[in-house]
């Protein structure tokens, strides 16, 4: 069984002491590719070093919406564009999006989101979209961009919206990615949203080191645990886990234009 974890943050300090062991465990779990998201452009050099160390790692470049107020300028947009063009291992723009939870800088977030969408459109790269307490505004912003410029490929990562909100983003052509939250006992809304996602638009992720799935909830999350997400999603969709793993792996390859290691290729 082969799996792709489509959203990790293994550059965080919580992995500094045992990253080689973490990598051994993800390989033992069947994880053959990882997509590393980016919180801020200053991480770029570190992400390149990680990709040198772990050939199965590709990465994104962008600025998280919660950091926009502190860091977003026209120069930041230029930096994101330049870095995205500088390394073929950049497979996405982001994470970007809108986060209105305890945040009041909505206008600035939307301007930064628009700029990320424009870069993704220019480079024909997908966007990794973070959306918290802002589904309506996120969908409307994307609709306006699509109408003015044409569609952009992308994924709603660590999705937690309602089935109705899920359909908004499916209608925009986006993929929907589920994290460890789908395994939580009380996550009935997320589990209901899972049921409306077509097979060819479904992805899985850990968002590690956050949101470890059951049975590791409350611990540091890591890429190997994407297998638990796969098992839960497979059970909820009434699929063999091997089938779920294969379809989500193929979906990730399609969205991010990933190739699989030769030993794992079909």
């Amino acid at each position: 069984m082969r799996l792709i974890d489509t959203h990790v943050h293994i550059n965080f300090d919580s992995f500094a002491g045992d990253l080689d062991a973490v990598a051994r465990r993800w390989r033992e779990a069947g994880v053959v590719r990882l997509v590393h998201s980016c919180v801020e452009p200053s991480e770029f050099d570190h992400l390149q070093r990680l990709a040198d160390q772990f050939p199965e790692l590709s990465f994104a470049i962008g600025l998280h919406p919660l950091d926009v107020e502190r860091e977003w300028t026209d120069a930041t947009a230029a930096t994101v564009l330049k870095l995205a063009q500088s390394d073929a291992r950049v497979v996405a723009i982001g994470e970007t999006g809108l986060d209105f939870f305890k945040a009041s800088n909505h206008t600035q977030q939307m301007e930064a989101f628009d700029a990320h969408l424009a870069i993704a459109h220019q480079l024909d790269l997908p966007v990794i979209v973070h959306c918290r307490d802002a589904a309506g505004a996120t969908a409307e912003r994307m609709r306006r961009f699509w109408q003015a410029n044409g569609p952009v490929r992308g994924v709603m990562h660590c999705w937690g919206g309602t089935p109705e909100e899920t359909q908004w983003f499916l209608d925009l052509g986006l993929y929907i990615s589920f994290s460890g939250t789908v395994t939580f006992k009380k996550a009935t809304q997320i589990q209901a949203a899972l049921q409306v996602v077509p097979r060819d638009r479904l992805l899985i992720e850990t968002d590690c080191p956050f949101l470890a799935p059951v049975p590791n909830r409350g611990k540091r999350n890591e890429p190997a645990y994407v297998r638990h997400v796969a098992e839960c999603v497979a059970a909820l969709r009434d699929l063999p886990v091997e089938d779920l793993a294969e379809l989500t792996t193929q979906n990730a390859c399609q969205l991010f234009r990933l190739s699989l290691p030769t030993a794992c290729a079909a």
Side-chain angles (χ1 to χ4, degrees):
M1 185 165 66
R2 55 189 185 178
L3 297 158
I4 295 180
D5 187 347
T6 61
H7 199 105
V8 304
H9 297 278
I10 62 171
N11 64 321
F12 284 13
D13 289 345
S14 56
F15 290 109
D18 65 340
L19 191 52
D20 286 337
V22 169
R24 183 181 68 251
R25 288 192 291 272
W26 84 52
R27 290 165 178 163
E28 290 171 350
V31 178
V32 296
R33 294 298 303 263
L34 306 94
V35 177
H36 201 302
S37 194
C38 181
V39 174
E40 56 184 48
S42 64
E43 296 178 324
F44 193 76
D45 289 347
H46 193 180
L47 300 188
Q48 288 183 306
R49 293 195 301 273
L50 286 170
D52 291 339
Q53 184 178 359
F54 304 111
E56 61 264 56
L57 185 83
S58 300
F59 52 97
I61 179 68
L63 180 65
H64 193 285
L66 289 180
D67 292 319
V68 162
E69 186 170 9
R70 177 169 52 91
E71 297 189 36
W72 186 256
T73 65
D74 290 343
T76 310
T79 297
V80 170
L81 175 61
K82 180 180 179 180
L83 293 177
Q85 295 172 308
S86 70
D87 193 317
R89 295 171 296 183
V90 174
V91 296
I93 300 299
E95 59 189 279
T96 182
L98 302 177
D99 190 324
F100 293 169
F101 181 72
K102 296 184 179 180
S104 59
N105 61 333
H106 298 183
T107 298
Q108 192 174 22
Q109 284 193 34
M110 289 189 285
E111 291 172 352
F113 187 29
D114 286 348
H116 282 81
L117 292 173
I119 293 168
H121 187 268
Q122 177 180 341
L123 301 181
D124 192 23
L125 289 173
V127 283
I128 298 173
V129 181
H130 171 105
C131 177
R132 183 163 63 159
D133 288 1
T138 303
E140 180 58 26
R141 208 74 190 176
M142 298 181 91
R143 286 191 201 101
R144 291 182 181 182
F145 188 91
W146 274 215
Q147 290 166 0
N149 304 282
V152 175
R153 294 177 293 122
V155 55
M156 303 303 296
H157 108 87
C158 193
W159 182 239
T162 67
E164 179 184 12
E165 292 165 347
T166 305
Q167 192 60 54
W168 297 344
F169 296 104
L170 290 171
D171 290 344
L172 288 165
L174 299 176
Y175 289 68
I176 311 293
S177 182
F178 293 89
S179 69
T181 57
V182 76
T183 72
F184 298 170
K185 184 177 181 180
K186 295 183 179 179
T188 54
Q189 175 176 287
I190 298 173
Q191 293 163 3
L194 170 68
Q195 302 302 334
V196 307
V197 180
R199 289 169 59 98
D200 63 353
R201 239 61 98 60
L202 180 61
L203 296 174
I204 54 175
E205 63 174 86
T206 57
D207 198 14
C208 63
F210 312 109
L211 302 171
V214 175
N216 302 106
R217 188 175 183 182
K219 301 178 182 179
R220 181 195 68 179
N221 202 0
E222 59 179 77
Y225 297 167
V226 78
R227 187 164 188 140
H228 299 306
V229 179
E231 290 167 349
C232 178
V233 170
L236 290 167
R237 296 284 293 240
D238 195 24
L239 288 172
V241 67
E242 293 82 4
D243 291 356
L244 187 283
E246 188 60 21
L247 75 88
T248 55
T249 292
Q250 292 300 330
N251 290 346
C253 288
Q254 180 72 22
L255 175 62
F256 296 109
R257 294 175 178 162
L258 303 175
S259 59
L260 293 174
T262 303
C264 295

